[in-house]
Structure formats: C-alpha cells, structure tokens
Amino acid sequence: MTTSEVSENATITSSRQRWTLVLVLTAAFMLLLDITVVSVALPSIQRDLSASLPDLQWVSAAYALVLAVLLLPAATLGDRVGRRRVFLIGMVVFTIGSLASALATTALTLELFRALQGAGGAALFAAATPLLRAEFSGPALGRALGAFGATLGGASAIGPLVGGALTDAFGWRSIFFINLPIGVLALVIGWAKLRESGNPAGGRADWVGTALIVVALTALMFALIRGNSSGWASPEIVTLFAVAAVALAAFVVYELRIAPAPMADLRLFGRRSFAATGFVAFAISATVIGTITYLSLYVQNTLGNSPVQGGLRLLPMFLASFAVALLTGRLIGKVAMRMLLGVAMALAAAGLASMAHLTATSGWLVLLPGLILAGTGLGVTSTALPSAALSAVEPPRAGMAAGLTNTLRQVGTATGVAVFGALYANRVSAATVHELAGQRVPPDAIHRLAAAVASGGGTRVAATLPPETRALVANAARAGTASGLNDVLLAAAAFAALAAVVGFAFGPDPAKRAPARSAAVDQPTNPRP
C-alpha cells in the first residue's frame, strides 16, 4: 500500500469516526432532552388536553418505563443482528413517536405515543456506546465517552430552558415537532456513514428471556410509580411486587441454566468490577437523579420560582456535570477506575448532605455548593460508567454490558423517585402538621393542608386561604417542606456514601487489561443492511 493510500484510508477512518460520534451524541441529546423538556410543558398539556394529575404523571412515566424495560433486549439484539441496524430502526421509531405525540388529541393517546418514543429511545440508547466501542479504542475511546457523558449532562441542563422557551413561544406540541428534522437528518446520515458491528449475520433470539425481563421490569416500575398513590400495602401494589419478584427469579434461572443463547450473561455480576459498576450505576441515578424531582418542587412551589427560573436555579448542577464529564474522558485509562467511581459517589454524597440544612427562611443559594458537588459526581459517572461496562467484557458483548448498566440506571431513577417520594410525603406531612398544631387553623383543616403541602404544593396551598391565615400556613409549608426535604437528602447521601465504598472496592481495573478487538466479530461489513 502506498503512502497516499495509507493517508486516504486514515482520512476515511477518521471521517467515519467523526460521523459516528456526531450521530451517537445527537441521539443521546434527543433522548435526554425528551425526558426533561416535557416537565416544563405539563401545565400547558393539562389545560389543552384536560388531563388529570395521574395523566400528567404517565406522560412522563410512559417514556421512562418503556425505555427501561426494553433497554436490555434492544442491547442484546444489537449484538446479534447488528448495532447499526438497531440504531437506525430506533431512530425511525423515535421520530414517528415524536410526530404522533405532537399530534395527540387526548391525554391517553399522548401517553401511548410517549411509550412509542420510549421504544425507539431504548434501541438508540442500547446501540450508542457499542457503536463508539466499535470505532474507537484507547485514549480516543475515553475522549468519545467523555463527549457522550457531557452530552447527557448538557441535555439535562438545557432541557427545562428549551422546554420553557418552546412552550411559551410555540405551544407544547413544538417540543415534539422539533425532533422531526433532527431525526430525519440523523437517519439519512446514519444510513450513509455508519458501519455495521456486532454479529450482523444473525443469532438466535432469546424470546423467553425477553418476555420474562419485560414482565419483571414492567411490574416493578408500575409498582414503584403507583406505590405512593395506591398505598404500598394495597393488594394492587403487593401483587405487582410479587409478579416482579417471580418473573425476575424465573429470568435469572432461565438465563443461567436453560437459555441456549441467553440475552444477558448474569455470571458477569460475579466479576467484582462489573458488580461494582452496576451498583454505582443504580446508586447515582437513585440518589442524584431521584432527588431532582423534589428539589425542583421545592424551588418552584415553595420558593415561588417559575419553571424557567426553576431550571436556572438547578442549572449549576448540570453545568458542573457537563464540564466534569468532558474532563473525565481524558482520565480514563490514566486514573484507576476504582478512584473515579469511588470519588464520584463520595462527591455525590457530600453534595446531597451539604444541602440538607434547609430552614423556613432558606433561599436557593443555600443549595448552590451541594448542587455543584453532586453535579461533579454525576459528571464523573456519566463518562466512567460506560467505560467501565465496556472494558469489563469482550467486544462482541459490549451491547449486552451497556444494556445491563443502562437498565440499572433507569431502574435506579424510578426507584429513587418512588422511595424518596414516599419518604418526602411522610416527613413533609408530619412536619407541617407539627408546625400548624396550636395555631389559628381549624383542626379538621390541618391534615388536609399538610397533605396538600406534602403532595408538592408547597406554599402555593396558602394562595386560596383567607388573608388572616395565609401567611401562617405559608410559613408552616416552608418549614415543613424544608424539614421533609432535609430527611430525603440525608437518606440519599447515606446511600450514595455506601455506593462510594462499593466504587472504591471496584477490583482490578479493566481499563488496564481491555481485551483486543475481535477481528471475526467487529470487522466492518457492508454498510447497507
């Protein structure tokens, strides 16, 4: 091969790497943006579609539920039929789901189309990091994963601002319409520029395993989401937890002993490095992401900020996450993974604990140091976790490893929101009752007002009261909300500290012994399916 041919081939390879990175980052940005932009538009959706509060909860939950349930099957499918193919199919489904959501005429249809978006999102998310693994290696892979993590943080950061601006200017449907030109352009470029990886020759599908994990995670997510409203001891929730436990146990037995081609090699959790990766992935989402819902309620409904102002108040967390994720990409392979994961969770624990001293007179600036610390921990894990998962397995199983890790992150978010929500409601209600006891408030109204405050109403519950009791109830609501949120933040900090211990016990650093590429499996193939 002549010098000119070598130079030309390097240019082609470099060009393909750039396009792969751009497409993966675009997909990641769209996926995370669609989680956060919707929260700001919910009041407008409620007015336009006459939606109830449970309807609004499911507009958000339907997307996250399907995304979490289908991540692992989609990741394994990508390993067996080709990641490029799964990525392109996911982009088509996500774009169609966005169009359908924009045209929805009832709350129910919007919920269903959001679920369709989640299905496409699962395919995109599952194929994203394995596509990077197929194109990059060594320090270049670390930088690519750093850009990926920073994109996740950036999308989360600007989501509320973009959602507020679009909703104010063009209405809530615009937050879905904006995905259409991006999705179509990404599909065209992906068709032309992405190369296939995985095993595009095909492999036996694990339909039984897929059915069992879908049932298990669906029942679990429904139980976690509906637990607060239905009651944790209600027959419905107990039944859902039982179904989830039985299906999950059956999945484990089937994958370990029966499946001829298991979708998930659960023996990976016998490796200390991979087990620690999974635990940290669950913990960072359960603690930092899980508490954002209640911080947002506090900033808006207790401190009285608008949705856009509330987004700005939380922006320091996500800006810190964005910047640190980029920096962490340059540390992959240079700093031991145990240090990255352990320090990340220690920073998250410190940030959450430092915010847990709110009082009735606190302003949002009290949260600022903790938001930055927690955001720093989030940023480190955004880059370190994909790298840890990918380097812990052989390239042909990269999708499965990423799918397991991302599934644990999604389940962690749902678990954190549900568990901390139950704690928040209980502690805020009790603290508000205590503040109102002995005051000039009718005894029969105390528990009703406390329940309204605990549901996230904050000081806004006082707006409709007689002037003589308005200030009194508002002060009690501020004190009660601050007290309950302190308990939530301390509980989250304790779990994050436990995850820091697990992170420091990561074991042998897989970045130091990353397996070589499998020439037989990850060779470029015809870019047309």
Side-chain angles (χ1 to χ4, degrees):
M1 182 178 290
T2 67
T3 302
S4 62
E5 288 173 328
V6 171
S7 176
E8 181 182 359
N9 185 62
T11 302
I12 293 173
T13 302
S14 177
S15 173
R16 188 177 64 225
Q17 288 176 330
R18 287 196 298 268
W19 279 116
T20 299
L21 182 60
V22 167
L23 288 167
V24 167
L25 297 188
T26 299
F29 188 82
M30 291 170 64
L31 296 178
L32 266 293
L33 195 68
D34 259 55
I35 293 175
T36 53
V37 295
V38 172
S39 61
V40 178
L42 289 178
S44 297
I45 293 173
Q46 184 178 41
R47 290 190 298 269
D48 191 25
L49 300 183
S50 300
S52 65
L53 181 59
D55 286 332
L56 296 182
Q57 291 173 324
W58 278 108
V59 167
S60 297
Y63 180 84
L65 172 62
V66 175
L67 182 63
V69 166
L70 294 184
L71 255 174
L72 182 54
T76 307
L77 185 66
D79 286 345
R80 293 178 178 170
V81 306
R83 289 121 185 197
R84 173 184 179 272
R85 183 174 300 171
V86 168
F87 184 88
L88 295 178
I89 291 172
M91 188 64 73
V92 170
V93 174
F94 184 85
T95 304
I96 292 174
S98 298
L99 174 61
S101 296
L103 299 176
T105 56
T106 66
L108 177 59
T109 55
L110 179 57
E111 293 160 23
L112 294 174
F113 294 143
R114 284 282 285 165
L116 183 62
Q117 268 193 307
L124 290 172
F125 211 176
T129 49
L131 282 171
L132 295 180
R133 169 70 177 268
E135 292 295 344
F136 297 91
S137 61
L141 177 60
R143 290 191 294 272
L145 292 173
F148 181 77
T151 300
L152 299 182
S156 299
I158 72 168
L161 304 180
V162 170
L166 287 174
T167 302
D168 287 344
F170 306 107
W172 66 267
R173 298 179 189 276
S174 63
I175 66 176
F176 299 114
F177 275 127
I178 196 173
N179 290 331
L180 302 185
I182 300 174
V184 171
L185 183 61
L187 183 63
V188 172
I189 295 175
W191 183 274
K193 299 295 184 179
L194 286 179
R195 77 173 175 104
E196 192 58 277
S197 63
N199 184 11
R204 183 181 300 179
D206 183 6
W207 296 114
V208 175
T210 298
L212 288 172
I213 195 63
V214 166
V215 170
L217 291 180
T218 299
L220 177 62
M221 299 283 279
F222 264 84
L224 292 173
I225 291 169
R226 296 179 61 87
N228 271 337
S229 59
S230 299
W232 294 100
S234 67
E236 174 194 2
I237 301 304
V238 171
T239 300
L240 285 170
F241 275 126
V243 170
V246 171
L248 185 59
F251 173 76
V252 171
V253 171
Y254 182 79
E255 294 296 298
L256 287 176
R257 299 188 177 184
I258 302 174
M263 75 159 62
D265 184 0
L266 300 181
R267 286 180 290 269
L268 277 176
F269 288 103
R271 301 181 186 180
R272 192 167 67 181
S273 58
F274 193 82
T277 299
F279 191 86
V280 170
F282 178 90
I284 191 67
S285 295
T287 56
V288 176
I289 303 299
T291 56
I292 288 175
T293 296
Y294 307 103
L295 288 170
S296 180
L297 286 173
Y298 175 75
V299 169
Q300 292 188 44
N301 290 349
T302 298
L303 300 186
N305 293 289
S306 69
V308 174
Q309 290 170 333
L312 287 171
R313 300 297 188 272
L314 298 179
L315 189 60
M317 172 186 284
F318 297 112
L319 288 179
S321 175
F322 176 80
V324 171
L326 281 176
L327 175 62
T328 304
R330 299 183 178 275
L331 300 179
I332 299 295
K334 300 178 182 178
V335 177
M337 190 61 68
R338 70 171 72 221
M339 292 301 298
L340 291 176
L341 296 184
V343 169
M345 293 311 304
L347 288 170
L352 292 164
S354 71
M355 290 187 278
H357 57 271
L358 300 170
T359 67
T361 58
S362 295
W364 81 273
L365 286 174
V366 174
L367 301 171
L368 185 58
L371 290 173
I372 294 174
L373 281 173
T376 301
L378 180 63
V380 174
T381 59
S382 294
T383 300
L385 284 172
S387 178
L390 291 179
S391 57
V393 301
E394 301 75 17
R397 299 194 294 173
M400 179 269 295
L404 280 170
T405 304
N406 287 326
T407 297
L408 287 170
R409 294 182 75 162
Q410 297 300 321
V411 174
T413 298
T415 302
V417 170
V419 172
F420 293 134
L423 177 62
Y424 177 88
N426 179 272
R427 302 308 301 155
V428 170
S429 179
T432 305
V433 168
H434 176 76
E435 293 291 330
L436 291 174
Q439 302 295 331
R440 293 176 300 168
V441 178
D444 61 334
I446 289 180
H447 288 281
R448 176 174 53 82
L449 290 171
V453 173
S455 68
T459 58
R460 298 190 180 190
V461 302
T464 59
L465 297 176
E468 60 270 18
T469 59
R470 194 173 298 163
L472 178 65
V473 172
N475 287 334
R478 285 183 70 114
T481 301
S483 177
L485 186 55
N486 286 340
D487 290 342
V488 167
L489 291 168
L490 286 174
F495 190 61
L498 173 62
V501 175
V502 174
F504 282 122
F506 182 78
D509 193 347
K512 303 298 184 183
R513 52 178 177 80
R517 291 190 183 195
S518 170
V521 176
D522 271 8
Q523 282 292 328
T525 62
N526 189 336
R528 301 291 187 271

Coordinates of all heavy atoms in Angstrom, one line a residue, residues 411-466:
V411 N -33.8 1.9 36.2 CA -34.5 1.4 37.3 C -34.1 2.1 38.6 O -34.9 2.4 39.5 CB -34.2 -0.2 37.5 CG1 -34.8 -0.7 38.8 CG2 -34.7 -0.9 36.3
G412 N -32.8 2.5 38.7 CA -32.4 3.3 39.8 C -33.1 4.7 39.9 O -33.6 5.1 41.0
T413 N -33.3 5.3 38.8 CA -34.1 6.6 38.7 C -35.5 6.4 39.3 O -36.0 7.1 40.1 CB -34.1 7.1 37.3 OG1 -32.8 7.5 36.9 CG2 -35.0 8.4 37.3
A414 N -36.2 5.3 38.7 CA -37.6 5.1 39.1 C -37.6 4.7 40.6 O -38.5 5.1 41.3 CB -38.2 3.9 38.3
T415 N -36.7 3.9 41.1 CA -36.7 3.5 42.5 C -36.4 4.7 43.4 O -37.1 4.9 44.4 CB -35.6 2.5 42.7 OG1 -35.8 1.3 41.9 CG2 -35.6 2.0 44.2
G416 N -35.5 5.6 43.0 CA -35.2 6.7 43.8 C -36.4 7.7 43.9 O -36.7 8.2 45.0
V417 N -37.0 8.0 42.7 CA -38.2 8.9 42.7 C -39.3 8.3 43.6 O -39.9 9.0 44.4 CB -38.7 9.1 41.3 CG1 -40.0 9.8 41.3 CG2 -37.7 9.9 40.5
A418 N -39.5 7.0 43.5 CA -40.6 6.4 44.3 C -40.3 6.3 45.8 O -41.1 6.7 46.6 CB -40.9 5.0 43.8
V419 N -39.1 5.8 46.1 CA -38.8 5.6 47.6 C -38.6 7.0 48.2 O -39.2 7.2 49.3 CB -37.5 4.8 47.7 CG1 -37.0 4.8 49.1 CG2 -37.8 3.4 47.2
F420 N -37.9 7.9 47.6 CA -37.7 9.2 48.2 C -39.0 10.0 48.2 O -39.3 10.8 49.1 CB -36.6 10.0 47.5 CG -35.3 9.4 47.7 CD1 -34.4 9.2 46.7 CD2 -34.9 9.0 49.0 CE1 -33.1 8.6 46.9 CE2 -33.6 8.4 49.2 CZ -32.7 8.2 48.1
G421 N -39.9 9.7 47.2 CA -41.2 10.3 47.2 C -42.1 9.9 48.4 O -42.8 10.7 49.0
A422 N -42.0 8.6 48.7 CA -42.8 8.1 49.9 C -42.2 8.8 51.2 O -43.0 9.2 52.1 CB -42.7 6.6 50.0
L423 N -40.9 8.9 51.3 CA -40.3 9.5 52.5 C -40.6 11.0 52.5 O -40.9 11.5 53.6 CB -38.8 9.3 52.4 CG -37.9 9.9 53.5 CD1 -38.4 9.4 54.9 CD2 -36.4 9.7 53.3
Y424 N -40.5 11.6 51.4 CA -40.8 13.1 51.3 C -42.3 13.3 51.7 O -42.5 14.2 52.6 CB -40.6 13.5 49.8 CG -41.0 15.0 49.5 CD1 -40.0 15.9 49.7 CD2 -42.2 15.3 49.1 CE1 -40.3 17.3 49.4 CE2 -42.5 16.7 48.8 CZ -41.6 17.6 49.0 OH -41.9 18.9 48.7
A425 N -43.2 12.6 51.2 CA -44.6 12.8 51.6 C -44.9 12.6 53.0 O -45.6 13.4 53.7 CB -45.5 11.9 50.7
N426 N -44.3 11.5 53.6 CA -44.5 11.3 55.0 C -43.9 12.3 55.9 O -44.5 12.8 56.9 CB -43.9 9.9 55.3 CG -44.0 9.5 56.8 OD1 -43.1 9.8 57.6 ND2 -45.1 8.8 57.1
R427 N -42.6 12.7 55.6 CA -41.9 13.6 56.5 C -42.4 15.1 56.4 O -42.5 15.8 57.4 CB -40.4 13.6 56.2 CG -39.8 12.2 56.4 CD -40.1 11.6 57.8 NE -39.6 12.5 58.9 CZ -40.1 12.5 60.1 NH1 -41.2 11.7 60.4 NH2 -39.7 13.3 61.0
V428 N -42.8 15.5 55.1 CA -43.3 16.8 55.0 C -44.7 16.9 55.6 O -45.0 17.9 56.3 CB -43.4 17.2 53.5 CG1 -44.2 18.5 53.2 CG2 -42.0 17.3 52.8
S429 N -45.5 15.9 55.5 CA -46.8 16.0 56.1 C -46.7 16.1 57.6 O -47.3 16.9 58.3 CB -47.6 14.7 55.7 OG -48.9 14.7 56.3
A430 N -45.8 15.2 58.2 CA -45.7 15.2 59.7 C -45.1 16.6 60.2 O -45.6 17.1 61.2 CB -44.8 14.1 60.1
A431 N -44.1 17.1 59.5 CA -43.5 18.4 59.9 C -44.5 19.5 59.7 O -44.5 20.4 60.6 CB -42.3 18.6 59.1
T432 N -45.3 19.5 58.7 CA -46.3 20.6 58.5 C -47.4 20.5 59.6 O -47.8 21.5 60.1 CB -46.9 20.5 57.1 OG1 -45.9 20.5 56.1 CG2 -47.9 21.7 56.8
V433 N -47.9 19.3 59.9 CA -48.8 19.1 61.0 C -48.3 19.7 62.3 O -49.0 20.4 63.0 CB -49.2 17.7 61.1 CG1 -50.0 17.5 62.5 CG2 -50.1 17.2 60.0
H434 N -47.0 19.4 62.5 CA -46.3 19.9 63.8 C -46.3 21.4 63.8 O -46.5 22.0 64.8 CB -44.9 19.3 63.9 CG -44.1 19.9 65.0 ND1 -44.4 19.4 66.3 CD2 -43.1 20.8 65.1 CE1 -43.5 20.1 67.1 NE2 -42.8 20.9 66.4
E435 N -46.0 22.0 62.6 CA -45.9 23.5 62.6 C -47.3 24.2 62.8 O -47.4 25.2 63.3 CB -45.3 23.9 61.2 CG -43.9 23.5 61.0 CD -42.9 24.3 61.9 OE1 -43.3 25.5 62.3 OE2 -41.9 23.8 62.3
L436 N -48.3 23.5 62.3 CA -49.7 24.1 62.3 C -50.4 23.8 63.7 O -51.4 24.5 64.0 CB -50.6 23.6 61.2 CG -50.2 24.0 59.8 CD1 -51.0 23.3 58.8 CD2 -50.4 25.5 59.7
A437 N -49.9 22.8 64.4 CA -50.6 22.5 65.7 C -50.5 23.6 66.7 O -49.5 24.3 66.9 CB -49.9 21.3 66.3
G438 N -51.7 23.9 67.2 CA -51.8 25.0 68.2 C -51.9 26.4 67.6 O -52.0 27.4 68.3
Q439 N -51.9 26.5 66.2 CA -52.1 27.8 65.5 C -53.6 28.0 65.2 O -54.4 27.1 65.5 CB -51.3 27.8 64.2 CG -49.8 27.5 64.4 CD -49.1 28.6 65.2 OE1 -49.5 29.8 65.2 NE2 -48.0 28.2 65.9
R440 N -53.8 29.2 64.7 CA -55.2 29.5 64.4 C -55.7 28.9 63.1 O -56.1 29.6 62.2 CB -55.4 31.1 64.4 CG -55.1 31.8 65.7 CD -55.2 33.3 65.6 NE -54.1 33.7 64.6 CZ -54.1 34.9 64.1 NH1 -55.0 35.8 64.4 NH2 -53.1 35.3 63.3
V441 N -55.7 27.6 63.1 CA -56.1 26.9 61.9 C -57.1 25.8 62.4 O -56.8 25.1 63.4 CB -55.0 26.2 61.2 CG1 -55.5 25.4 60.0 CG2 -54.0 27.3 60.7
P442 N -58.3 25.7 61.8 CA -59.2 24.7 62.3 C -58.6 23.3 62.3 O -57.9 22.9 61.3 CB -60.4 24.7 61.2 CG -60.3 26.1 60.7 CD -58.8 26.5 60.7
P443 N -58.8 22.5 63.4 CA -58.2 21.2 63.5 C -58.5 20.3 62.3 O -57.6 19.5 61.9 CB -58.7 20.6 64.8 CG -59.1 21.8 65.6 CD -59.6 22.9 64.6
D444 N -59.7 20.3 61.8 CA -60.0 19.5 60.7 C -59.4 19.9 59.4 O -59.3 19.1 58.4 CB -61.6 19.4 60.5 CG -62.1 20.8 60.1 OD1 -61.5 21.8 60.5 OD2 -63.2 20.9 59.5
A445 N -58.8 21.1 59.3 CA -58.1 21.5 58.1 C -56.6 21.3 58.1 O -56.0 21.3 57.1 CB -58.4 23.0 57.9
I446 N -56.1 21.0 59.3 CA -54.6 20.8 59.4 C -54.1 19.7 58.6 O -53.2 19.9 57.8 CB -54.3 20.6 60.9 CG1 -54.4 21.9 61.7 CG2 -52.8 20.2 61.0 CD1 -54.1 21.8 63.2
H447 N -54.7 18.5 58.7 CA -54.3 17.4 57.9 C -54.5 17.5 56.4 O -53.7 17.1 55.6 CB -54.9 16.1 58.5 CG -54.4 15.7 59.8 ND1 -53.2 15.0 60.0 CD2 -54.9 15.9 61.1 CE1 -53.0 14.8 61.3 NE2 -54.0 15.3 62.0
R448 N -55.6 18.2 56.1 CA -55.9 18.4 54.7 C -54.8 19.4 54.1 O -54.3 19.1 53.0 CB -57.3 19.1 54.5 CG -57.6 19.4 53.1 CD -59.1 19.9 53.0 NE -59.4 21.0 54.0 CZ -59.1 22.2 53.8 NH1 -58.5 22.6 52.7 NH2 -59.4 23.1 54.7
L449 N -54.5 20.4 54.8 CA -53.4 21.3 54.3 C -52.1 20.7 54.3 O -51.3 20.8 53.3 CB -53.4 22.6 55.2 CG -54.6 23.5 55.1 CD1 -54.5 24.6 56.2 CD2 -54.6 24.2 53.8
A450 N -51.8 19.8 55.3 CA -50.5 19.1 55.3 C -50.4 18.2 54.1 O -49.3 18.1 53.5 CB -50.3 18.4 56.6
A451 N -51.5 17.5 53.8 CA -51.4 16.6 52.7 C -51.2 17.3 51.4 O -50.5 16.9 50.5 CB -52.7 15.8 52.6
A452 N -51.8 18.5 51.2 CA -51.6 19.3 50.0 C -50.2 19.8 49.9 O -49.6 19.8 48.8 CB -52.5 20.5 50.0
V453 N -49.6 20.2 51.0 CA -48.2 20.6 51.0 C -47.3 19.4 50.7 O -46.3 19.5 49.9 CB -47.8 21.2 52.4 CG1 -46.3 21.4 52.4 CG2 -48.5 22.5 52.7
A454 N -47.6 18.2 51.3 CA -46.7 17.0 51.0 C -46.8 16.5 49.6 O -46.0 15.8 49.1 CB -47.1 15.9 52.0
S455 N -47.9 16.8 48.9 CA -48.1 16.4 47.5 C -47.2 17.2 46.6 O -47.3 17.0 45.3 CB -49.5 16.4 47.1 OG -50.0 17.8 47.0
G456 N -46.5 18.2 47.1 CA -45.7 19.1 46.3 C -46.2 20.5 46.1 O -45.6 21.3 45.5
G457 N -47.3 20.8 46.8 CA -47.9 22.1 46.6 C -47.1 23.2 47.2 O -47.3 24.4 46.8
G458 N -46.3 22.9 48.3 CA -45.5 24.0 48.9 C -46.3 25.1 49.4 O -47.5 24.9 49.9
T459 N -45.8 26.3 49.3 CA -46.5 27.5 49.8 C -47.7 27.9 49.0 O -48.5 28.7 49.4 CB -45.5 28.7 49.9 OG1 -45.0 28.9 48.6 CG2 -44.4 28.4 50.9
R460 N -47.9 27.3 47.8 CA -49.0 27.7 46.9 C -50.3 27.2 47.5 O -51.3 27.7 47.0 CB -48.8 27.1 45.5 CG -47.5 27.6 44.9 CD -47.4 27.3 43.4 NE -46.1 27.8 42.8 CZ -45.8 27.8 41.6 NH1 -46.7 27.3 40.7 NH2 -44.7 28.3 41.1
V461 N -50.3 26.3 48.4 CA -51.6 25.9 49.0 C -52.2 27.0 49.8 O -53.4 27.0 50.1 CB -51.4 24.7 49.9 CG1 -50.8 23.5 49.2 CG2 -50.5 25.0 51.1
A462 N -51.4 28.0 50.2 CA -51.9 29.1 51.0 C -52.6 30.2 50.2 O -53.3 31.1 50.7 CB -50.8 29.7 51.8
A463 N -52.4 30.1 48.8 CA -52.9 31.2 48.0 C -54.4 31.4 48.0 O -54.9 32.5 47.9 CB -52.5 31.0 46.5
T464 N -55.2 30.3 48.3 CA -56.7 30.4 48.2 C -57.3 30.5 49.6 O -58.5 30.6 49.8 CB -57.2 29.2 47.6 OG1 -56.8 28.0 48.3 CG2 -56.8 29.0 46.1
L465 N -56.4 30.7 50.7 CA -56.9 30.7 52.0 C -57.3 32.2 52.4 O -56.8 33.1 51.7 CB -55.9 30.2 53.0 CG -55.5 28.7 52.9 CD1 -54.4 28.4 53.8 CD2 -56.7 27.8 53.1
P466 N -58.1 32.4 53.5 CA -58.4 33.8 53.9 C -57.1 34.5 54.3 O -56.1 33.9 54.8 CB -59.3 33.5 55.2 CG -59.8 32.2 54.9 CD -58.8 31.4 54.2

